[in-house]
Amino acid sequence: MKAGMIGLGAMGLGMARNLAKAGYLAAVYNRTSAKTAEFPGLAYPSPEALAAVVDIVLICVSADQDVLDMIDAISTTIRPGTIVVDMSTVSSATAQLAAATLSEKNAEFLDAPVSGGVEGAKNGTLAMMVGGSAETLAKAKSVLEAMAARIVPIGAVGSGQATKAVNQIMCAGINQAVTEALGFAKSQGLDLDKVIDVISGGASGNWFLQHRGVTMTHGSFAPGFKLALHHKDLKICQTMAAHSDYPIPLADQTVLDYDQLMALGFGDEDISALYRLKSN
Ligand code: NAP
């Protein structure tokens, strides 16, 4: 199966490298063409050109409109039977729109957002939550396994993105808990390296504390997961929660905190930059 990757950002680059390692990568496209330099001979000048030559198109771009722009572009050249898998984090509604556009061209669509961060993309250990038909997933699975260690079919198109929204709300709560607790530790005059070491091995230990605890408390906020992207995800969650009349106060507070950090110019930092607000 020939795979084409659209979007070589923090996530897409690791994904593309793993696709290449597994022997699937046949084409890449990135809006900023310089980022395709490490894939000589595989770079295509447009999404339209890429879609015309592959069996499966993988997309990992930023936000809803970016995905829809890519879907509109590839739908002009895509061949019937081609599978499109969107791994960006967007709304369920965008996934459903993308599926409808592609079905007019007899192409198949899966929404397959991922969790596991840049490390997961690099190591091919992402967790992938998939919306779409079981038959389409069965055809795409070997390619997806080059990028993800855990692939879970959730339900119809859009259900992958709804599951990702669950993940993003949880991520906001964990970020609030870890940054607030470490800010408190600092206010107590504790040795933060020792605190992180011992707590990581106990009942409150978690991925975020283990991977971001030491960096944030040493003032390093390199992404990781960009704060502005999580902000974008939480706005999606707020819209979905409003539709089902379900309150998400932790996510709401996190949006307000991120608004403040973005206004201060920290939007491109890792989400652990929330510690900046908690440690003064
Ligand atoms: P990123 O580093 O900012 O990369 C974004 C990518 O999308 C770049 O390749 C960018 O192209 C491309 N892009 C954006 N808008 C575009 C448009 N209108 N047309 C064409 N290409 C466009 O972001 P990322 O961290 O890789 O995240 C990508 C997606 O994965 C997002 O939806 C994010 O929420 C999700 N995600 C991220 C993480 C994480 O830890 N980073 C984890 C899980 C999921 P240029 O190079 O030209 O800017």
Side-chain angles (χ1 to χ4, degrees):
M1 211 175 206
K2 287 165 73 180
M5 180 80 210
I6 294 180
L8 299 173
M11 295 295 288
L13 183 61
M15 292 166 169
R17 284 176 180 156
N18 285 322
L19 288 167
K21 236 182 272 172
Y24 290 117
L25 193 68
V28 295
Y29 165 77
N30 195 70
R31 181 179 56 182
T32 306
S33 60
K35 289 189 195 165
T36 63
E38 82 168 72
F39 303 101
L42 301 187
Y44 281 71
S46 66
E48 291 89 334
L50 175 145
V53 298
V54 297
D55 308 305
I56 178 166
V57 179
L58 301 150
I59 301 175
C60 192
V61 295
S62 303
D64 291 72
Q65 194 54 52
D66 307 317
V67 170
L68 292 175
D69 288 350
M70 293 303 99
I71 296 291
D72 284 346
I74 65 176
S75 67
T76 62
T77 54
I78 203 160
R79 296 173 298 175
T82 303
I83 298 171
V84 178
V85 182
D86 178 37
M87 299 177 291
S88 323
T89 301
V90 294
S91 67
S92 301
T94 289
Q96 285 151 0
L97 202 53
T101 302
L102 290 165
S103 79
E104 284 172 20
K105 305 289 172 176
N106 294 314
E108 300 170 44
F109 179 81
L110 298 171
D111 53 306
V114 296
S115 174
V118 174
E119 290 92 340
K122 183 177 167 214
N123 299 327
T125 55
L126 292 165
M128 184 177 272
M129 39 219 99
V130 185
S133 90
E135 293 75 27
T136 305
L137 177 56
K139 286 186 260 180
K141 201 159 182 201
S142 63
V143 174
L144 303 183
E145 279 170 348
M147 300 174 285
R150 191 169 168 75
I151 300 172
V152 179
I154 306 291
V157 165
S159 64
Q161 294 296 355
T163 305
K164 177 70 184 185
V166 174
N167 185 80
Q168 298 313 77
I169 292 168
M170 209 175 286
C171 186
I174 292 167
N175 195 3
Q176 290 287 356
V178 171
T179 54
E180 182 172 300
L182 292 179
F184 170 78
K186 187 181 172 197
S187 77
Q188 296 292 305
L190 296 170
D191 181 323
L192 295 177
D193 287 352
K194 289 181 183 168
V195 170
I196 292 163
D197 183 34
V198 68
I199 287 182
S200 292
S204 303
N206 62 76
W207 186 97
F208 190 66
L209 178 66
Q210 281 169 3
H211 290 262
R212 304 285 183 256
V214 170
T215 50
M216 76 170 85
T217 52
H218 285 256
S220 168
F221 305 105
F225 183 22
K226 273 188 210 160
L227 191 146
L229 282 179
H230 195 206
H231 180 269
K232 176 259 303 176
D233 298 346
L234 292 174
K235 299 290 273 185
I236 294 169
C237 297
Q238 285 180 316
T239 305
M240 293 173 76
H243 276 302
S244 52
D245 202 18
Y246 187 84
I248 49 171
L250 270 174
D252 293 339
Q253 182 57 48
T254 308
V255 168
L256 294 175
D257 290 342
Y258 287 177
D259 281 339
Q260 201 179 331
L261 287 162
M262 286 160 68
L264 292 167
F266 300 128
D268 284 339
E269 292 191 341
D270 185 73
I271 61 167
S272 55
L274 183 60
Y275 183 69
R276 289 181 181 280
L277 298 185
K278 312 274 186 178
S279 59
N280 290 321

